[in-house]
Amino acid sequence: MKIIVMETTEAFDRQGALIIMRQALKKPDSTFGLATGDTTRNMYALAAELHRELGVDYSLCKSCNLDEYAGVSAEDKRSCRYRINEVLLDKINIKPENTYVPNGLREPPEEELALFKEKIEKFGGIDLLILGIGTNGHIGFNEPGTPLDSSFRIAPISEKTRKEKAALFGGSELVPKFGISMGIRDIMMAREILLVAKGRAKAEAIRSIVHGPMTVDMPASVVRLHPDLVILIDKDAASLL
Ligand code: GLP
């Protein structure tokens, strides 16, 4: 595992954007796995800027998001689809048909899981997965207690996570109760993982990845088993290392 600790938020965002750019240069037909959320927002914006300024080419790339809120439409500003398009996918020259975010409105939602799996297979698997974490160590929507061999799933979102997402939805009671998510096994199948975290609230989860113990109560702790893991954090997230 490689750990990169950045002094400032700006340096953190820039480093993340450079890693995205490097992947596109290294393998022009890369498949990116993409987390949404506050942590990745600026790094995606900077990656889009680097595309504009330096002409980094994404025309052969593919992307697949990590998760989506169940019951939330792609047009809803709070959906992962809307936010990833707004900050990154609409700003680079990736082909829309080569991007995938689970459809939060599919009925029954279980049908979306087969499509999710198929899409990643069709895209040739994920080369670089950009993975955020929750303060309780959740990855994707795999909350504490999720089995390590879990695969594409409709995952209950914990009360704690719903409280943390209250600002996005205008109240914790308005945050969906379920997410459509890659399972822990699917996350571990990515060829490379870039795990990103900022802030003191994530320090305990980061400590558990680096020092253990490995436990289903802290889903992110298993990521340390991945053979090609880069952890990009700021000083605050690194404060318990
Ligand atoms: C949500 C998403 C995750 C994301 C995490 C961190 O729970 N399901 O995919 O990584 O939040 O979000 P943030 O970066 O806003 O802290």
Side-chain angles (χ1 to χ4, degrees):
M1 133 188 5
K2 183 173 164 193
I3 304 176
I4 306 172
V5 182
M6 302 308 287
E7 283 292 311
T8 63
T9 299
E10 293 71 26
F12 169 94
D13 295 333
R14 185 148 189 91
Q15 187 62 31
L18 289 176
I19 293 172
I20 294 171
M21 169 174 136
R22 189 186 61 196
Q23 180 67 34
L25 294 174
K26 189 170 79 177
K27 187 173 182 234
D29 60 347
S30 287
T31 299
F32 289 90
L34 301 173
T36 46
D38 296 339
T39 313
T40 47
R41 207 177 158 75
N42 289 342
M43 78 173 56
Y44 290 156
L46 278 176
E49 226 173 276
L50 288 170
H51 158 73
R52 220 176 35 245
E53 287 168 5
L54 303 175
V56 185
D57 184 24
Y58 291 90
S59 62
L60 300 176
C61 288
K62 291 146 279 178
S63 74
C64 191
N65 271 52
L66 187 67
D67 48 23
E68 180 59 282
Y69 291 100
V72 179
S73 80
E75 292 74 38
D76 188 314
K77 289 192 164 175
R78 302 163 301 185
S79 69
C80 296
R81 169 51 99 179
Y82 187 96
R83 287 183 296 148
I84 198 72
N85 278 3
E86 184 185 38
V87 73
L88 181 67
L89 301 179
D90 285 349
K91 304 241 160 87
I92 58 177
N93 64 334
I94 194 167
K95 296 192 176 96
E97 64 272 26
N98 286 343
T99 72
Y100 177 79
V101 181
N103 177 354
L105 291 189
R106 175 111 34 218
E107 280 299 339
E110 288 70 22
E111 274 184 13
E112 190 61 23
L113 303 178
L115 295 171
F116 201 171
K117 181 170 190 276
E118 252 174 61
K119 203 51 151 183
I120 294 183
E121 280 168 7
K122 196 169 153 236
F123 284 172
I126 291 173
D127 292 301
L128 175 65
L129 172 63
I130 297 156
L131 185 64
I133 54 169
T135 58
N136 62 357
H138 75 253
I139 45 178
F141 277 123
N142 301 297
E143 297 277 11
T146 305
L148 303 187
D149 62 352
S150 54
S151 193
F152 303 95
R153 53 195 295 264
I154 308 295
I157 304 178
S158 70
E159 284 307 312
K160 183 170 180 4
T161 301
R162 293 178 70 228
K163 277 199 188 107
E164 286 173 8
K165 302 290 172 192
L168 178 65
F169 282 87
S172 61
E173 67 291 351
L174 299 174
V175 179
K177 294 199 165 111
F178 292 90
I180 304 167
S181 180
M182 286 185 202
I184 296 178
R185 184 150 62 90
D186 313 317
I187 289 172
M188 294 296 278
M189 296 282 282
R191 294 185 188 98
E192 184 179 346
I193 295 179
L194 173 67
L195 186 138
V196 293
K198 285 195 269 204
R200 183 67 185 76
K202 304 268 174 90
E204 183 56 40
I206 292 298
R207 197 199 56 73
S208 82
I209 302 170
V210 179
H211 298 299
M214 210 180 298
T215 160
V216 291
D217 295 334
M218 184 61 93
S221 65
V222 304
V223 174
R224 70 188 299 197
L225 288 175
H226 195 281
D228 211 344
L229 169 67
V230 177
I231 298 179
L232 172 63
I233 44 184
D234 69 355
K235 265 196 329 201
D236 290 340
S239 59
L240 296 180
L241 294 183

